[in-house]
Amino acid sequence: KAGVTQTPRYLIKTRGQQVTLSCSPISGHRSVSWYQQTPGQGLQFLFEYFSETQRNKGNFPGRFSGRQFSNSRSEMNVSTLELGDSALYLCASSSRVHVGRNYGYTFGSGTRLTVV
Amino acid sequence: DAKTTQPNSMESNEEEPVHLPCNHSTISGTDYIHWYRQLPSQGPEYVIHGLTSNVNNRMASLAIAEDRKSSTLILHRATLRDAAVYYCILRAPPSMNRDDKIIFGKGTRLHILP
């Protein structure tokens, strides 16, 4: 089955702009989580959406927001971009209901955002 | 804060077994132990998970201490393609209602020597 698809793969934006990243989860998965990965901070949890509702939020400013649609696809938005927002943004899908042996997250390949 | 502790890096020779340790002394009785790995330029990849008993799959084995305060990921015969950062994490049991947030630590960077 198809994996987690993130678009775009690469993005260059200017400070002050906003950006929207997209994530399509594995078919049947209703939970989508977002992570930011930087060399200095590693993988940091941003938020999780389940059934179109934000269920959990990490320690990021309000400039970071997201949403989930009825087909479980999710978008993440960052407004007023700062240089420090340059990072790899990863999306992961999972089922909150145990599905046999594989109760795990499936990650996409990420969107590499560069803010200049 | 990460609830697991792993060595920053480890080295192993190709075709030899590798034992990657993880300490999770504050694990709750219902937390699952998951392992992921991240190859260069890719997102993390699920490796294995377990609750109490040792687990095996085609990628690796997971040995869980009797008190569940530590675990070890075992790669039986390391190859160069196993060079990656390995993350040990704790995850709450599946539930429609419980918070589902994974906290990643820094992981262990595994180097495989040819």
Side-chain angles (χ1 to χ4, degrees), chain A residues 83-96:
Chain A
L83 295 179
D85 296 333
S86 295
L88 179 66
Y89 290 89
L90 290 157
C91 157
S93 85
S94 73
S95 170
R96 271 179 170 249

PDB file of all heavy atoms in Angstrom, chain A residues 83-96:
ATOM      1  N   LEU A  83      14.359  32.654  10.496  1.00  0.00           N
ATOM      2  CA  LEU A  83      15.489  31.846  10.024  1.00  0.00           C
ATOM      3  C   LEU A  83      15.561  30.513  10.774  1.00  0.00           C
ATOM      4  O   LEU A  83      15.877  29.475  10.191  1.00  0.00           O
ATOM      5  CB  LEU A  83      16.802  32.611  10.185  1.00  0.00           C
ATOM      6  CG  LEU A  83      16.966  33.869   9.338  1.00  0.00           C
ATOM      7  CD1 LEU A  83      18.311  34.526   9.637  1.00  0.00           C
ATOM      8  CD2 LEU A  83      16.838  33.560   7.853  1.00  0.00           C
ATOM      9  N   GLY A  84      15.226  30.545  12.045  1.00  0.00           N
ATOM     10  CA  GLY A  84      15.290  29.338  12.871  1.00  0.00           C
ATOM     11  C   GLY A  84      14.254  28.289  12.535  1.00  0.00           C
ATOM     12  O   GLY A  84      14.300  27.189  13.083  1.00  0.00           O
ATOM     13  N   ASP A  85      13.333  28.624  11.655  1.00  0.00           N
ATOM     14  CA  ASP A  85      12.329  27.640  11.254  1.00  0.00           C
ATOM     15  C   ASP A  85      12.859  26.713  10.167  1.00  0.00           C
ATOM     16  O   ASP A  85      12.180  25.751   9.785  1.00  0.00           O
ATOM     17  CB  ASP A  85      11.065  28.343  10.730  1.00  0.00           C
ATOM     18  CG  ASP A  85      10.386  29.170  11.803  1.00  0.00           C
ATOM     19  OD1 ASP A  85      10.529  28.844  12.999  1.00  0.00           O
ATOM     20  OD2 ASP A  85       9.720  30.170  11.443  1.00  0.00           O
ATOM     21  N   SER A  86      14.054  26.993   9.692  1.00  0.00           N
ATOM     22  CA  SER A  86      14.660  26.101   8.699  1.00  0.00           C
ATOM     23  C   SER A  86      14.861  24.733   9.337  1.00  0.00           C
ATOM     24  O   SER A  86      15.518  24.600  10.372  1.00  0.00           O
ATOM     25  CB  SER A  86      16.010  26.656   8.244  1.00  0.00           C
ATOM     26  OG  SER A  86      15.849  27.869   7.555  1.00  0.00           O
ATOM     27  N   ALA A  87      14.291  23.722   8.707  1.00  0.00           N
ATOM     28  CA  ALA A  87      14.310  22.397   9.311  1.00  0.00           C
ATOM     29  C   ALA A  87      13.720  21.387   8.347  1.00  0.00           C
ATOM     30  O   ALA A  87      13.186  21.746   7.292  1.00  0.00           O
ATOM     31  CB  ALA A  87      13.494  22.372  10.610  1.00  0.00           C
ATOM     32  N   LEU A  88      13.818  20.134   8.746  1.00  0.00           N
ATOM     33  CA  LEU A  88      13.103  19.064   8.056  1.00  0.00           C
ATOM     34  C   LEU A  88      11.802  18.844   8.818  1.00  0.00           C
ATOM     35  O   LEU A  88      11.821  18.602  10.025  1.00  0.00           O
ATOM     36  CB  LEU A  88      13.930  17.776   8.043  1.00  0.00           C
ATOM     37  CG  LEU A  88      13.298  16.565   7.363  1.00  0.00           C
ATOM     38  CD1 LEU A  88      13.141  16.791   5.862  1.00  0.00           C
ATOM     39  CD2 LEU A  88      14.131  15.311   7.631  1.00  0.00           C
ATOM     40  N   TYR A  89      10.690  18.953   8.149  1.00  0.00           N
ATOM     41  CA  TYR A  89       9.381  18.752   8.780  1.00  0.00           C
ATOM     42  C   TYR A  89       8.850  17.388   8.360  1.00  0.00           C
ATOM     43  O   TYR A  89       8.679  17.109   7.170  1.00  0.00           O
ATOM     44  CB  TYR A  89       8.416  19.878   8.404  1.00  0.00           C
ATOM     45  CG  TYR A  89       8.825  21.172   9.062  1.00  0.00           C
ATOM     46  CD1 TYR A  89       9.719  22.045   8.436  1.00  0.00           C
ATOM     47  CD2 TYR A  89       8.358  21.501  10.336  1.00  0.00           C
ATOM     48  CE1 TYR A  89      10.130  23.207   9.062  1.00  0.00           C
ATOM     49  CE2 TYR A  89       8.755  22.666  10.963  1.00  0.00           C
ATOM     50  CZ  TYR A  89       9.646  23.513  10.323  1.00  0.00           C
ATOM     51  OH  TYR A  89      10.058  24.666  10.947  1.00  0.00           O
ATOM     52  N   LEU A  90       8.614  16.574   9.358  1.00  0.00           N
ATOM     53  CA  LEU A  90       8.196  15.189   9.121  1.00  0.00           C
ATOM     54  C   LEU A  90       6.769  14.982   9.573  1.00  0.00           C
ATOM     55  O   LEU A  90       6.337  15.501  10.602  1.00  0.00           O
ATOM     56  CB  LEU A  90       9.119  14.235   9.884  1.00  0.00           C
ATOM     57  CG  LEU A  90      10.545  14.140   9.344  1.00  0.00           C
ATOM     58  CD1 LEU A  90      11.493  13.648  10.434  1.00  0.00           C
ATOM     59  CD2 LEU A  90      10.598  13.203   8.154  1.00  0.00           C
ATOM     60  N   CYS A  91       6.075  14.198   8.811  1.00  0.00           N
ATOM     61  CA  CYS A  91       4.712  13.820   9.127  1.00  0.00           C
ATOM     62  C   CYS A  91       4.697  12.313   9.365  1.00  0.00           C
ATOM     63  O   CYS A  91       5.413  11.561   8.684  1.00  0.00           O
ATOM     64  CB  CYS A  91       3.829  14.223   7.953  1.00  0.00           C
ATOM     65  SG  CYS A  91       2.294  13.348   7.790  1.00  0.00           S
ATOM     66  N   ALA A  92       3.905  11.888  10.320  1.00  0.00           N
ATOM     67  CA  ALA A  92       3.796  10.462  10.593  1.00  0.00           C
ATOM     68  C   ALA A  92       2.336  10.087  10.724  1.00  0.00           C
ATOM     69  O   ALA A  92       1.548  10.824  11.326  1.00  0.00           O
ATOM     70  CB  ALA A  92       4.540  10.111  11.878  1.00  0.00           C
ATOM     71  N   SER A  93       1.964   8.976  10.155  1.00  0.00           N
ATOM     72  CA  SER A  93       0.581   8.520  10.311  1.00  0.00           C
ATOM     73  C   SER A  93       0.558   7.230  11.121  1.00  0.00           C
ATOM     74  O   SER A  93       1.516   6.466  11.124  1.00  0.00           O
ATOM     75  CB  SER A  93      -0.091   8.325   8.951  1.00  0.00           C
ATOM     76  OG  SER A  93       0.156   7.058   8.387  1.00  0.00           O
ATOM     77  N   SER A  94      -0.532   7.046  11.828  1.00  0.00           N
ATOM     78  CA  SER A  94      -0.682   5.820  12.602  1.00  0.00           C
ATOM     79  C   SER A  94      -2.159   5.554  12.836  1.00  0.00           C
ATOM     80  O   SER A  94      -3.012   6.415  12.613  1.00  0.00           O
ATOM     81  CB  SER A  94       0.045   5.921  13.944  1.00  0.00           C
ATOM     82  OG  SER A  94      -0.650   6.771  14.831  1.00  0.00           O
ATOM     83  N   SER A  95      -2.417   4.358  13.298  1.00  0.00           N
ATOM     84  CA  SER A  95      -3.756   4.011  13.714  1.00  0.00           C
ATOM     85  C   SER A  95      -3.790   4.058  15.228  1.00  0.00           C
ATOM     86  O   SER A  95      -2.879   3.581  15.886  1.00  0.00           O
ATOM     87  CB  SER A  95      -4.106   2.606  13.227  1.00  0.00           C
ATOM     88  OG  SER A  95      -5.300   2.185  13.826  1.00  0.00           O
ATOM     89  N   ARG A  96      -4.783   4.660  15.792  1.00  0.00           N
ATOM     90  CA  ARG A  96      -4.893   4.667  17.245  1.00  0.00           C
ATOM     91  C   ARG A  96      -5.489   3.360  17.751  1.00  0.00           C
ATOM     92  O   ARG A  96      -5.570   3.135  18.948  1.00  0.00           O
ATOM     93  CB  ARG A  96      -5.754   5.844  17.719  1.00  0.00           C
ATOM     94  CG  ARG A  96      -4.932   7.103  17.951  1.00  0.00           C
ATOM     95  CD  ARG A  96      -5.818   8.232  18.399  1.00  0.00           C
ATOM     96  NE  ARG A  96      -5.044   9.370  18.855  1.00  0.00           N
ATOM     97  CZ  ARG A  96      -4.989   9.766  20.114  1.00  0.00           C
ATOM     98  NH1 ARG A  96      -5.644   9.105  21.030  1.00  0.00           N
ATOM     99  NH2 ARG A  96      -4.282  10.820  20.453  1.00  0.00           N
TER     100      ARG A  96
END
